[in-house]
Amino acid sequence: MLGKKLVTAQKRGETRALCLGLGMVACSMMMYFFIGITIVPFYTKSVWTTEGVCKVLKANIKDKVFCPNTEGSEDEEIFPYPCLQVWVNLTASGQEVMLYQTEDTLERNPKCSYVPGNLENAKEVKARIETIASNFKKYQTFPCYYDPGGTQTNVILSRLYPSKGLLFAFLWPTLMFTGGCLIVVLVKISQYVSVLSAWQ
């Protein structure tokens, strides 16, 4: 009687462990799919792939411009902010080019090097832009990213999804997939050993 209870408990434990392993594998595949349709396209679309050195030539704050919201928004001209323009010398080519914060900055407003968030306070935005401009004037030389193919003549300060960030994004689903597969394999080995022991 005790032996039957132990066997039943063992089977239940194996079933739960098997479900856990398969669930982890399924979740990791969903995470892979989500990363593949969200992060990977932005990473592959970016042409600013080569790191270089930029030297500030001038950092000017122009008159206020309107923050571009999403298309079709009724509040399209509700958030004016100072337009910071930073021109740098790219040492790799020796050209005078405009610097943008990220790839997204160029898409939102190609006239400005920095685009603040739509819902930020106007005074805070002005103070932040002035601080950024003074930092550029203070730290003249810094690393930046440029397009080695030459399709984009401008440069960016940082990539939205760098290589390390992409690898880190794939790290967690990979660990989950590996753990799930390991659980399934251990359960199958345990079942095989149990059947083999019973047969002997």
Side-chain angles (χ1 to χ4, degrees):
M1 187 69 178
L2 182 61
K4 289 184 178 180
K5 289 183 178 180
L6 290 174
V7 171
T8 303
Q10 183 181 3
K11 287 184 177 179
R12 287 179 180 174
E14 289 176 350
T15 303
R16 291 173 181 173
L18 191 62
C19 290
L20 175 63
L22 293 176
M24 291 174 64
V25 172
C27 288
S28 64
M29 297 305 292
M30 291 176 63
M31 292 173 68
Y32 278 129
F33 177 75
F34 180 75
I35 293 172
I37 63 174
T38 55
I39 298 178
V40 173
F42 285 105
Y43 175 80
T44 55
K45 189 174 70 172
S46 177
V47 295
W48 296 271
T49 56
T50 306
E51 185 173 346
V53 178
C54 289
K55 185 177 181 180
V56 176
L57 297 176
K58 52 186 176 181
N60 302 323
I61 299 178
K62 302 290 184 178
D63 295 333
K64 289 187 177 181
V65 296
F66 292 109
C67 183
N69 295 331
T70 55
E71 293 183 1
S73 175
E74 296 179 357
D75 301 328
E76 191 169 350
E77 296 184 350
I78 197 173
F79 189 69
Y81 64 94
C83 182
L84 173 64
Q85 292 183 343
V86 181
W87 292 88
V88 297
N89 179 24
L90 180 61
T91 55
S93 62
Q95 295 179 332
E96 179 181 340
V97 294
M98 190 168 177
L99 174 74
Y100 295 94
Q101 184 185 12
T102 61
E103 302 95 327
D104 184 57
T105 307
L106 178 60
E107 292 182 3
R108 292 182 63 188
N109 191 351
K111 296 180 180 180
C112 304
S113 298
Y114 172 76
V115 176
N118 295 343
L119 301 178
E120 296 183 49
N121 183 275
K123 292 182 179 179
E124 292 179 359
V125 169
K126 182 180 179 181
R128 182 182 301 178
I129 291 176
E130 290 175 351
T131 302
I132 294 173
S134 63
N135 286 336
F136 276 120
K137 293 175 182 178
K138 183 178 180 181
Y139 303 102
Q140 293 282 310
T141 306
F142 51 86
C144 58
Y145 293 91
Y146 67 95
D147 175 18
T151 55
Q152 290 286 349
T153 56
N154 42 57
V155 296
I156 61 173
L157 182 62
S158 59
R159 300 183 66 184
L160 282 174
Y161 300 104
S163 301
K164 291 182 179 179
L166 190 65
L167 291 175
F168 185 76
F170 277 107
L171 175 63
W172 296 112
T174 301
L175 291 176
M176 185 177 291
F177 179 81
T178 305
C181 290
L182 185 61
I183 290 174
V184 172
V185 170
L186 290 176
V187 170
K188 290 300 181 181
I189 291 175
S190 176
Q191 290 176 344
Y192 175 76
V193 172
S194 298
V195 171
L196 188 63
S197 300
W199 181 76
Q200 290 178 347

